[in-house]
Amino acid sequence: MEQWRLFVQIADLGSLSLTATVRDVAQPALSRQLAALEKACGGRLFERGARGVRLNEVGQRLYPQVVAWLAQADELLLEARGESRMASGQVRFGVLASISPQLVTEVFKTVREKFPRIQLQISSGLSGMLAEGIGNGTLDLALLSTNTRDYRSQEIPIGSVPHVLVGAPGDVITRAKTVTFSQLDNLPLLVPGGRYALHGLLLHWAHRKKISLNVVAECDALDLQKQLIRTAGVYAIMAISAVRSDVEKGFLQAAEIVSPALQRNLVLRVSSAKPLTPACREVLRIVEQSAIGLLKADAKPAVRSKI
């Protein structure tokens, strides 16, 4: 088990010398431990380079399984010691970038106050990245968006948030309270890279309304999207929660899209890669309560379901 803990620590730090310093051991001794583990596995787990080490293909496949196994082992040890009443351990939590700052602050403060032995590992990104993390087990739970109301068994629905067309201050189109979907015809649009959450829905309604979607650039970074909207004459379609603060400060304009209305359904998704630990259950409950509270101004409540 200690060899696998070493494997995870080296992968996280990306350096044998730094790992040796953290562990307060000589680097040659640490290298011998890693060599013994790799020999037992029948091959290397890391690629060595001038700037450190990184997991090779085999190591990348093993990493999430090892992390999950070690977490279960820690929980088992605590239970054997009669200490499992207080939830503890690491919880890997992913959150949609457009709503992460406020939500993460509240979740972090609540977890730290009520469960000081829980360690949060927080990731922020687009829904596709978060869904992938849930699928491959590198995330335990994630708040993300989906365009379907057919909720999975491992999901808790949070609510639906309207989408808006976002433009620069003074823009004529987004100055109105609402904008019809047909008005998107040939507007220069900025979208996230790859198959983003709204991709299929936009194509469906563009075909129905017989309009052309003019995607001029792809950008995954929310702050860069906002900067380009302000300065480059482009538009973007976002959840209102992503730009509410910017609109209130006059940095951006936003008009709700109607005919049809485009809704982003927010869900809490849980990984099925391993059973939920007590720590994961507590964080799940806190995230659900915090998300519902913070999105109350924007979201239509969803039908509750429990995991």
Side-chain angles (χ1 to χ4, degrees):
M1 184 177 290
E2 284 307 309
Q3 286 182 322
W4 286 114
R5 292 191 189 278
L6 174 64
F7 163 80
V8 170
Q9 192 170 26
I10 294 173
D12 290 342
L13 296 176
S15 167
L16 292 177
S17 60
L18 182 56
T19 305
T21 300
V22 170
R23 287 184 163 235
D24 194 24
V25 299
Q27 184 173 334
L30 185 142
S31 297
R32 286 195 293 272
Q33 293 178 50
L34 176 59
L37 175 61
E38 291 184 319
K39 183 178 179 181
C41 292
R44 293 205 165 193
L45 304 174
F46 291 89
E47 295 177 357
R48 278 72 166 172
R51 296 185 178 181
V53 297
R54 63 179 183 179
L55 293 170
N56 61 17
E57 186 177 348
V58 175
Q60 290 175 20
R61 290 201 304 268
L62 288 175
Y63 179 85
Q65 301 176 60
V66 173
V67 169
W69 173 63
L70 290 174
Q72 287 179 295
D74 289 339
E75 289 292 332
L76 180 62
L77 183 59
L78 286 174
E79 185 175 349
R81 291 175 177 172
E83 299 177 3
S84 59
R85 295 175 187 174
M86 173 65 79
S88 63
Q90 186 181 77
V91 177
R92 299 163 298 169
F93 166 48
V95 58
L96 201 61
S98 60
I99 58 175
S100 61
Q102 287 179 290
L103 180 68
V104 167
T105 298
E106 182 166 329
V107 169
F108 176 79
K109 287 181 177 179
T110 305
V111 170
R112 190 176 184 187
E113 177 185 348
K114 295 184 176 181
F115 303 99
R117 289 165 56 183
I118 292 179
Q119 181 186 20
L120 288 177
Q121 182 178 323
I122 303 168
S123 302
S124 176
L126 299 174
S127 290
M129 184 197 79
L130 300 178
E132 183 178 346
I134 289 292
N136 62 29
T138 56
L139 290 176
D140 297 311
L141 58 112
L143 180 66
L144 48 82
S145 67
T146 176
N147 292 321
T148 176
R149 292 184 181 274
D150 298 326
Y151 299 112
R152 305 180 182 185
S153 59
Q154 293 297 103
E155 285 184 348
I156 297 175
I158 299 298
S160 59
V161 180
H163 274 79
V164 293
L165 180 68
V166 185
D171 173 65
V172 175
I173 297 176
T174 54
R175 186 184 300 165
K177 185 177 180 179
T178 61
V179 57
T180 65
F181 190 90
S182 295
Q183 287 178 268
L184 304 182
D185 189 27
N186 275 315
L187 285 183
L189 290 176
L190 182 67
V191 301
R195 286 189 61 84
Y196 47 95
L198 275 179
H199 182 90
L201 191 61
L202 290 177
L203 291 179
H204 167 77
W205 281 108
H207 178 73
R208 288 279 302 272
K209 296 292 185 178
K210 295 181 172 56
I211 67 170
S212 298
L213 295 178
N214 179 21
V215 176
V216 295
E218 295 183 355
C219 178
D220 286 340
L222 187 61
D223 287 341
L224 286 178
Q225 288 183 35
K226 294 178 180 179
Q227 175 68 17
L228 289 172
I229 293 169
R230 287 195 298 267
T231 61
V234 296
Y235 299 83
I237 299 171
M238 299 180 180
I240 183 61
S241 55
V243 292
R244 178 172 293 281
S245 176
D246 299 270
V247 171
E248 290 174 350
K249 294 174 183 177
F251 298 154
L252 294 170
Q253 290 183 174
E256 184 175 351
I257 300 171
V258 297
S259 300
L262 302 180
Q263 299 288 339
R264 171 173 292 188
N265 298 315
L266 296 176
V267 298
L268 257 174
R269 188 173 295 176
V270 179
S271 175
S272 59
K274 64 183 180 71
L276 279 179
T277 64
C280 283
R281 289 192 178 278
E282 295 296 348
V283 174
L284 180 70
R285 179 180 57 81
I286 291 170
V287 173
E288 180 184 7
Q289 294 174 350
S290 299
I292 292 173
L294 286 175
L295 297 176
K296 192 174 294 182
D298 302 324
K300 296 178 180 179
V303 177
R304 314 275 10 109
S305 66
K306 294 293 180 183
I307 294 177

